[in-house]
Amino acid sequence: MRYIRPSSLEDAIGLLNEAPGKAAILAGGSDLLVRMKGGFTEPDLIIDIKSIDGLSRITEGDDGFVIGAAVSCAVLGETVGLRRAWPGVVEGANLIGSKQVQGRCTIVGNLCNASPAADSVPALVAAGAKALIKGPAGSRTIPVEQVPVAPGRTSLAKGEIIEAILLGKRQPNSGDAYQRFTPRTEMDIAVVSAAVNLTLDDQGVVQFARVALGAAAPTVLLVEAAAEILVGSRVDEETLERLAETCSAACRPIDDKRGTIEFRKKVAGVLAKRVALTAYQRAGQK
């Protein structure tokens, strides 16, 4: 096994593209090192990207936020502007692991691990976040929901690296929220989760919405039918009930030791109601 710490993204892409065996990217390592210790993977090459300029920074500009691939979740939680603009995204990121893990784990690593139960991904999908990808063929930008294609698999081609996550500028009268259900409050994996992002007009009526569910299918679900129910409403009780029914119906979960299909569908609807109400309240406060 070789370990290389390149100083540029171009070098990292070259190493990844030319690696003769299995290569892995090390950003925080909270997924990779656990998988290696458990015997689930044994890379021939580990490429540590933490020394690459810009990948450990969050930049706020006129178009929103650029979150480098090596930015830890702890830093996300400490960035006041990001926390104020996208509290739901920060909520999801700050639920990954323990306080110690927070200092290492990254949302890009969480995304590329491609777990259906990833905590940061539903909130990113609801937020309409995009992944900036660079590789041997150049750069491309895709919605984050197009990165995972199955449990443990992504759409990244050979040699491609996600350089950053792009979060758009927060519109006035907007809010987002994320919640999950776990048997324990900390250090656990989501049995099911939900995220909502919405924007209101000056009368408090929802003009735009996105609804995402985690651990409810092989990849995060963007439930467009649920978003359509929210648009045009003031998120009243009748709307919330219809939202819950739609989210439950959209689920395609599995039975396992953590939860049954029936349970996951029910809880998905309950969580969707809660996060929709929280997002609505946050939007009204801005």
Side-chain angles (χ1 to χ4, degrees):
M1 184 183 295
R2 292 187 300 151
Y3 166 89
I4 300 178
R5 195 171 192 177
S7 58
S8 72
L9 191 60
E10 290 70 24
D11 287 345
I13 291 169
L15 288 165
L16 191 61
N17 189 49
E18 297 165 12
K22 184 184 297 183
I25 297 295
L26 174 65
S30 57
D31 285 316
L32 175 62
L33 298 181
V34 170
R35 289 180 58 79
M36 288 172 60
K37 187 173 182 179
F40 298 105
T41 186
E42 190 174 340
D44 301 292
L45 171 64
I46 295 176
I47 303 168
D48 187 341
I49 63 172
K50 291 192 291 295
S51 292
I52 297 175
D53 186 46
L55 295 196
S56 296
R57 289 202 299 266
I58 298 176
T59 305
E60 183 178 3
D62 293 338
D63 296 327
F65 295 88
V66 179
I67 304 170
V71 172
S72 72
C73 291
V75 170
L76 258 69
E78 294 164 358
T79 304
V80 176
L82 181 63
R83 195 170 65 236
R84 184 183 300 118
W86 294 102
V89 171
V90 175
E91 281 171 339
N94 285 172
L95 283 171
I96 302 172
S98 63
K99 292 295 184 184
Q100 295 89 336
V101 170
Q102 283 284 307
R104 304 295 292 179
C105 65
T106 69
I107 57 173
V108 172
N110 198 225
L111 176 65
C112 291
N113 191 50
S115 166
D119 274 312
S120 68
V121 181
L124 288 171
V125 171
K130 299 183 183 302
L132 174 59
I133 301 168
K134 288 196 174 178
S139 301
R140 62 190 179 105
T141 302
I142 63 173
V144 293
E145 59 265 30
Q146 294 180 10
V147 175
V149 295
R153 291 176 48 212
T154 72
S155 62
L156 299 178
K158 184 175 175 58
E160 287 190 325
I161 296 175
I162 295 182
E163 180 182 7
I165 296 295
L166 310 179
L167 273 172
K169 184 178 178 63
R170 174 56 93 187
Q171 298 300 310
N173 303 320
S174 297
D176 68 327
Y178 171 81
Q179 284 190 30
R180 67 179 185 182
F181 173 82
T182 59
R184 302 183 299 171
T185 56
E186 301 290 342
M187 295 288 289
D188 214 336
I189 300 169
V191 176
V192 68
S193 61
V196 169
N197 172 41
L198 45 77
T199 300
L200 314 180
D201 64 14
D202 292 337
Q203 283 72 49
V205 176
V206 178
Q207 295 296 295
F208 169 84
R210 282 171 70 93
V211 179
L213 302 175
T219 60
V220 170
L221 289 175
L222 180 63
V223 190
E224 294 181 358
E228 291 172 1
I229 289 171
L230 289 172
V231 173
S233 78
R234 286 188 169 85
V235 191
D236 53 54
E237 189 58 35
E238 180 183 351
T239 299
L240 291 173
E241 287 300 326
R242 292 174 58 211
L243 173 71
E245 291 173 4
T246 302
C247 287
S248 294
C251 291
R252 305 192 307 274
I254 59 171
D255 272 318
D256 62 16
K257 63 182 180 181
R258 301 181 58 75
T260 65
I261 291 174
E262 182 182 10
F263 179 76
R264 283 189 163 106
K265 284 188 172 185
K266 176 67 175 179
V267 175
V270 172
L271 291 179
K273 289 173 59 176
R274 292 178 181 176
V275 293
L277 190 56
T278 299
Y280 184 75
Q281 291 168 344
R282 287 172 173 171
Q285 293 171 358
K286 297 184 184 297

